[in-house]
């Protein structure tokens, strides 16, 4: 690692100040005001002994001295109260800023383009962004160092002016030693940075295995296959590599600290020798001698502290570069404003081709199809055929590599994102429930309608189950926050996810393998019930089913068969089942035993 590590990236620092100011516009002014007060108090505490000693030695008017002491004590007390007041305010503000910055990162993560979530480079960048935040508490430390640095600058100005008025040579001695120590500190920080760059790549692996051993969803597999030793061995491997890196760091830093200590002792000796000589030669008074000893000591510690804070700011600044790179990713590009829509009548995929990030193989290859309101469709095909990818593009989770989607004849990229998303109700195979109440898992961000919630629960066959619960709809899902929470079976969770989609009641209803945890007969019953439920206002909806199992196809008006990213067949169930030489019939024949 070269010295560029320690060059201050002004853009990153500027972004940091901008972010702090956005969160709390009074924070920086508060820091500056407290820095002024602290430097004023420091100046008084250093300079006051000179007045006292010289008055005792050279002035017989003790009443003036008493007056000066009283004034000093009163002013010092006022300054101390002010410092404590601003300090408490700044601690609260710092905490708020730190938490808000973490929250903003979370918001950015939730709103970033979905395609980035599956990009390994973006995942590595996310880990680099989160590591210093989570593991090194960088944000509050950065805020503290900025505050310390500003305070030190004001204090240094006051001390240097004081010492220069008596003997400027002492300032040069102190600055020389501090600069030498700064060079040594830079080497120490360089070693620390190299160590962190070694540890950060390991952290992604460590975080994954820590998640595995603390996530109860892995509990059955860990116990059934007795793999706890494998996971522990992998964690121990990380631990050994990390300890080895930190051992080298601490040994080097220990030697650097020893050199710093020797240099400080040399400084104390040289400064003391000069001051004693000046006092002996009667070039300075006894009061000035006492003040200079205190002032040079404060000059050294303040200058050392300021440089240390500045070096830390540069290091933290470097750590925060991935944070801001991740924070300012080209996210939310699909959250555009545009033409607002209140319903979807037609969807046309026109020549859609798609590559996943970093992939050279097409997932979708020139796909064109049309979906119309009042009809239900089934997308079928083997694993990897591109069915789910097509739906994810429709849901704006991905942007097609080429081709366009027309909604009501309008290019999707010109349609308002928010109004468009309200027209989609989706149940994906990898859906997630949240540790909210059953009610909140169904309505999510929609307004609450008790009658409608009861209706959709009945439609998916969960009424009896929920009726038997002590808290009913208010029962919390999972026991993460509530010991009385409920753990649904996989099939019950899928039914709840379907109820969520039904409750939203959008123009387009999408069911992507929504019943994979159910047996084929139960799956058919659910689809039959779904079809019956949707039939009441079918003329207002486009319904799309995706499934490996073909039980839903008989209930759909039209079927598209995909293979290797292309549509190879399309038609009604009766039309496709008659073509015995093509994929649909062969898939149906293999599964027919479940539907006879």
């Amino acid at each position: 690692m070269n010295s560029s590590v320690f060059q201050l990236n002004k853009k990153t620092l500027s972004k940091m100040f901008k972010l702090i100011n956005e969160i709390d516009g009074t924070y920086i002014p508060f820091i500056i005001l407290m820095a002024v007060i602290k430097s004023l108090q420091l100046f008084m505490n250093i300079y006051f002994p000179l007045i006292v000693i010289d008055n005792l030695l050279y002035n017989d008017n003790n009443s003036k001295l008493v007056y000066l002491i009283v004034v000093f004590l009163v002013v010092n007390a006022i300054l101390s109260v002010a410092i404590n007041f601003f300090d408490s305010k700044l601690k609260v503000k710092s905490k708020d800023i730190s938490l808000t910055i973490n929250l903003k990162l979370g918001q950015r993560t939730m709103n970033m383009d979905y395609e980035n979530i599956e990009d390994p480079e973006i995942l590595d960048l996310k880990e680099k962004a989160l590591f210093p935040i989570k593991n090194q508490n960088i944000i509050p430390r950065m805020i503290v160092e900025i505050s310390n640095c500003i305070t030190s600058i004001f204090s240094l100005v006051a001390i240097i002016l004081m010492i220069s008025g008596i003997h400027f040579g002492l300032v040069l001695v102190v600055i020389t030693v501090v600069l030498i120590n700064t060079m040594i500190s830079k080497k120490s920080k360089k070693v620390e940075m190299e160590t962190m760059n070694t540890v950060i790549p390991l952290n992604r692996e460590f975080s994954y295995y820590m998640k595995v051993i603390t996530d109860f969803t892995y509990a059955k597999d860990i116990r059934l296959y007795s793999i706890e030793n494998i996971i522990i061995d992998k964690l121990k491997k990380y631990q050994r590599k990390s300890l080895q890196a930190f051992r080298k760091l601490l040994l080097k830093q220990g030697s650097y600290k020893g050199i710093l200590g020797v240099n400080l002792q040399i400084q104390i000796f040289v400064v003391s020798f000069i001051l004693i000589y000046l006092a002996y030669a009667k070039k300075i008074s006894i009061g000035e001698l006492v003040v200079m000893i205190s002032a040079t000591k404060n000059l050294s510690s303040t200058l050392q502290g300021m440089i240390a804070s500045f070096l830390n700011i540069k290091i933290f600044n470097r750590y925060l570069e991935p944070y801001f790179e991740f924070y300012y990713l080209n996210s939310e590009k699909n959250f555009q404003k545009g033409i607002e829509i209140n319903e979807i009548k037609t969807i046309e995929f026109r020549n859609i081709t798609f590559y996943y990030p970093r992939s050279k193989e097409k997932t979708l290859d020139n796909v064109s199809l049309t979906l119309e309101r009042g009809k239900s469709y089934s997308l079928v095909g083997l694993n990897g055929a591109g069915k789910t990818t097509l739906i994810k593009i429709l849901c704006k989770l991905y942007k097609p590599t080429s081709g366009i989607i027309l909604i009501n004849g309008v290019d999707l990229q010109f349609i308002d994102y928010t109004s468009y998303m309200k027209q989609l109700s989706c149940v994906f195979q990898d859906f997630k429930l949240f540790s909210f109440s059953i009610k909140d898992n169904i309505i999510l961000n929609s307004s609450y309608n008790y009658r409608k919630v009861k209706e959709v629960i009945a439609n998916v066959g969960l009424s009896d189950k929920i009726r038997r619960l002590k808290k009913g709809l208010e029962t919390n899902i999972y026991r993460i926050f509530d010991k009385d929470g409920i753990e649904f079976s996989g099939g019950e969770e899928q039914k709840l996810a379907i109820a969520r989609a039904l409750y939203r009641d959008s123009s387009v209803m999408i069911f992507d393998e929504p019943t994979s945890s159910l047996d084929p007969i139960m799956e058919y019953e659910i689809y039959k019930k779904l079809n019956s439920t949707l039939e009441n206002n079918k003329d207002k909806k486009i319904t799309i089913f995706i499934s490996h199992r073909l039980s839903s196809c008989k209930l759909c008006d039209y079927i598209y068969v995909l293979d290797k990213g292309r549509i190879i067949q399309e038609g009604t169930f009766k039309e496709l089942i008659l073509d015995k030489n093509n994929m649909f019939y062969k898939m149906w024949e293999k599964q027919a035993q479940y539907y006879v």
Side-chain angles (χ1 to χ4, degrees), residues 112-131:
M112 71 186 297
D113 294 337
Y114 186 84
E115 61 196 57
N116 289 333
I117 295 172
E118 296 181 350
D119 187 333
E121 290 189 11
I122 299 298
L123 292 176
D124 285 337
L125 177 62
K126 178 175 78 76
E127 193 59 42
K128 288 179 180 178
L130 290 176
F131 182 84

Side-chain angles (χ1 to χ4, degrees), residues 46-55 166 285-288 291:
I46 293 173
Y47 196 73
F48 187 70
L50 170 63
I51 298 172
V52 173
I53 293 171
D54 283 355
N55 266 275
I166 299 175
S285 67
I286 300 298
E288 289 174 327
V291 167

Side-chain angles (χ1 to χ4, degrees), residues 17-36:
F17 276 114
K18 181 181 177 183
L19 197 54
I20 290 173
N21 200 54
E22 284 176 3
I23 297 167
D24 189 338
T26 65
Y27 185 76
I28 301 298
F30 261 57
I31 288 179
I32 294 172
L33 186 56
M34 192 166 83
V36 171

Side-chain angles (χ1 to χ4, degrees), residues 34 38 67 187-188 235 240 246 252 319 373 437 596:
M34 192 166 83
K38 279 187 173 181
Y67 171 76
K187 290 185 177 181
S188 179
L235 286 169
R240 284 194 297 271
F246 282 114
K252 286 185 178 180
Y319 284 143
R373 186 171 68 175
S437 68
V596 176

Side-chain angles (χ1 to χ4, degrees), residues 20 94 191 241 244 257 277 297 363 567 569:
I20 290 173
S94 297
V191 173
K241 288 182 179 179
Q244 186 178 7
K257 284 181 179 179
Y277 168 76
K297 182 180 178 181
T363 303
I567 295 176
Q569 282 180 277

